[in-house]
Every structure is written in structure tokens, then in C-alpha cells.
Amino acid sequence: MKRWAQSVVILAMAMCIGAPAIAADEISYKVVAGDTLTGFGGKYLKRQADYRIVQKRNGIRNPKRIPVGTILKVPRSILKYEPASARLSAVRGDVMAVVDGEARAARTGQTLSEGNALKTSGGAFASLQLDDGSRISVPSNTDIRILRLRRYLLGSALDYDFQVDRGGARSKVAPLKSANDRYQVRTPRAVSAVRGTDFQTRFDTDNNRDFAEVDEGGLAIELEKGVTRALPAGNGLAVAADGSSFTEALLPPLDIAGAGKLQNGATVRFALPSAANARISIAKDASFEEQVADRIASDGAVDFGNLDDGNYFLRARAIAPSGIEGLPATYAFKRRLNSVSGSAGAADEGWVFKWGGEGRGVIRYNFQLFRGDIKGVPLVDETGLEAQQIILSDLTDGEYHWRVGSVQYLDGEASANWTAFEKLTVAAN
């Protein structure tokens, strides 16, 4: 049984279905008055003598007399070009740049060129910024090579070509200005060519299915036996191992209650809508170039552990039963660690309540004790404590509830975090 990935070629269209075809491995040139093939060869070809290739390819009888308006097809491989570059705009974790066959730790701001490669390990992320403003995000466990990164002298046409040998890539491509511009991302068995769009493609090894989801722009997806499907923005496609395929509208953005609230607990945790399956990603910027984490959540919550203090963005995509990921919802949130925990125990001098926590800045503690339920006025309500314990020697028999709050003063702001209420029963011996 063949995988769809063995034959699929994904062709992205300019901004809507029905746009001109993607640039092929040749560039078109419209002849103007005074053009000759020998002059053309000296100006645009690596070797002037290669004008004969153009002559034969286009059926030109007299290289010195070409009708004005003739459209020449010129192979990209023989064209002069200026090298373009790709700058590493973000690097996180174990990312290696392979230059001249030697792998070294990649660094933010480093410039890569044609023939270089990038390797990310587990939990590592990188982003490349291209000369035209396009971006390619490289997730964890990915090997990607730069096959072409050039600007041809003929028409200043761009040619960006990447090879993903392992993992995946997400591209946000600036609208290409010329029909001869080309942006491609290859995998071992597929080519994704885009002309100004935001989309992702994935292969699920567990289900042996391929997916494509379009946020902006549009795709024309060519399957086996010449079958073509149009995929406009807001739609996704899934293809099974036997080649059968279907499309469906992307699920709407997830509404995550409290997603933008301050995250000051021991870990960064988000509660998701009931029974929602989702991909949740965190980055330091709204464009998700500086991605720091990515999780698949299926139990109504997702925990990212103890992230460093800072300002972050969360992106959530609901996952449909088909496996197609929905439209993204993006939230901004602030992380300021201010954890607090406490304990209570009997001592000779009475009941001892102790507490402590973690967090930067100036920390002060609040302590509350209620007799009976917590709806009334606290029996004890102490604020602004520097000490990390309090002793109460006069508690009468009964049921109590207590909690500790940590108030953090940092960067000109104050925020509080409270423990959950703990129950305490006082009874005579």
C-alpha cells in the first residue's frame, strides 16, 4: 500500500484558487526590441555560449533576430545569480548549523547560505528569516537543508528551495512579486510550493495519514493519478495510506477561559474546554518565531512546567476527530513565578503554621484562619508578614480552614497567589 506522501505535490496558489501555476524549473522572459541571444547570454547566463541551450529550447532560428514579444523559457540552472541569505532569527535548545560539512552550535543572528543545513534536537526550535520577509519555523527533531537561496539577475527572480529530511516545517511566505519567483519546501516524497500563504503540512506516523491545513491564502493539492483538490483558507485535507482523501472546514479557534491571566504558580498550566483535543504551543513573540514549547493535550488540561519569568504568547488549535488541526487562537499571558505552600502541626506552644515559596522581587505573606466555613469574617487575618510561620496558642475545639497568600512586588507591580484552603480539626486529647 502506497503512502500519499509518495506521490503528492502540494502547489500553493497566489491568494485564491484559480491563480497562475507555480513557477517551474525555468524562467520566462519577454523579448524586447534590440534583444539578441548572444547579448542575452552575456548579460544573464553563467556562460555566454549557453545561449545555444536557450535557442534550442525555444526553437529560435536566428539568434540575432528574435521577434519582439517572444516568450523565452530559460532553465534556472544556467542563469547568473546573486546569493541570498537566511538569518537565524531565533534559536532555542540544541540546534546545530552545518556549514561546509561541519556541525556547530547555531546562534541567533547567524546567517546561513545555500548548501548549509540545520538540525534541531528534542525540545529545540529555530526560525529562519529570509531576505523578502518570509519565515520558516523549524520544530524539534528536524533536519533541513538549504538547496537554493538565490536571486537571479534575470528579472531579480527569487529562488528559495529547502529540503526537509526529517521532521517538518511551517512557512509564512510573503506574497511573491513575480511569476518567476519560487519558494519550495521538499520532503523525501513531496514538494510544497507556495506563492504567499500561511499553511502547514504534517505526516502522522501513528495513523499513516498526511494532513494539510490552510490559515491564509490557498492550496491546490495534486494527488495520485492527476487528481487535484482545491483547498481554500479555513479548510483542511487528510489523505489515507490508500490514497483516499477528504476535506473539511477547520474547527473554530478554541476559547480558553483565563488563558490571558497571570501565570504565577509552580508550573504554567491551562485548563481547556471539556474533552477538547488540541495542540498548544508557547512562544515569546506573537509571530511564534521564538517558540519555546509545544504539547498535544487530550485530558482537558496542559502543563508546561516551570517556565522562566517573562511575557509569552499561547497558540491553541483544536484537533478534529479526523486529525485535522483547526484555526489558531492566540493569547498573550505573563509569567511571574510566585509559588507558595504551607503546613500546619501541633506543638507544645500551640498550633504552628509554616509556609514558603519561590519567586523574584520582594515577597510578603498573608495568613487567614476561619472557624467553621469560609464565608464569614476570618478569625485571624494577618497581612504583610516577613516571617514564614505563625503560632496560635488559643484555638478552641472545632473545625477550622486556613490558607496562606504570597504577595510579590516586582517591576513596579504587585500580585498575589494563595494556597487552597486546608482543613484543620482541633479536638481535646
Side-chain angles (χ1 to χ4, degrees), residues 24 38 51 98 147 201 260-261 319 391:
T38 53
Y51 78 84
V98 182
L147 302 182
T201 54
K261 73 178 182 65
I319 302 176
I391 300 174

Side-chain angles (χ1 to χ4, degrees), residues 257-375:
K261 73 178 182 65
L262 175 68
Q263 288 279 343
N264 58 9
T267 64
V268 173
R269 188 175 189 277
F270 297 92
L272 305 180
S274 178
N277 292 331
R279 178 181 294 276
I280 311 294
S281 305
I282 290 179
K284 291 185 176 181
D285 64 310
S287 62
F288 278 74
E289 284 190 60
E290 297 184 69
Q291 190 166 328
V292 300
D294 186 75
R295 301 277 193 280
I296 298 294
S298 59
D299 58 358
V302 59
D303 195 314
F304 289 93
N306 184 11
L307 290 183
D308 294 337
D309 284 1
N311 298 322
Y312 294 92
F313 293 85
L314 176 146
R315 184 173 63 200
R317 289 179 177 270
I319 302 176
S322 63
I324 292 175
E325 296 182 3
L327 290 168
T330 303
Y331 302 88
F333 71 93
K334 183 181 293 185
R335 167 63 168 166
R336 298 287 188 273
L337 174 62
N338 180 25
S339 64
V340 60
S341 60
S343 63
D348 292 340
E349 61 270 36
W351 288 91
V352 180
F353 299 85
K354 297 182 179 180
W355 52 79
E358 293 182 275
R360 298 185 299 121
V362 176
I363 304 293
R364 295 292 182 265
Y365 296 98
N366 297 341
F367 175 82
Q368 290 184 335
L369 178 77
F370 292 78
R371 183 179 178 87
D373 60 42
I374 59 175
K375 296 180 180 179

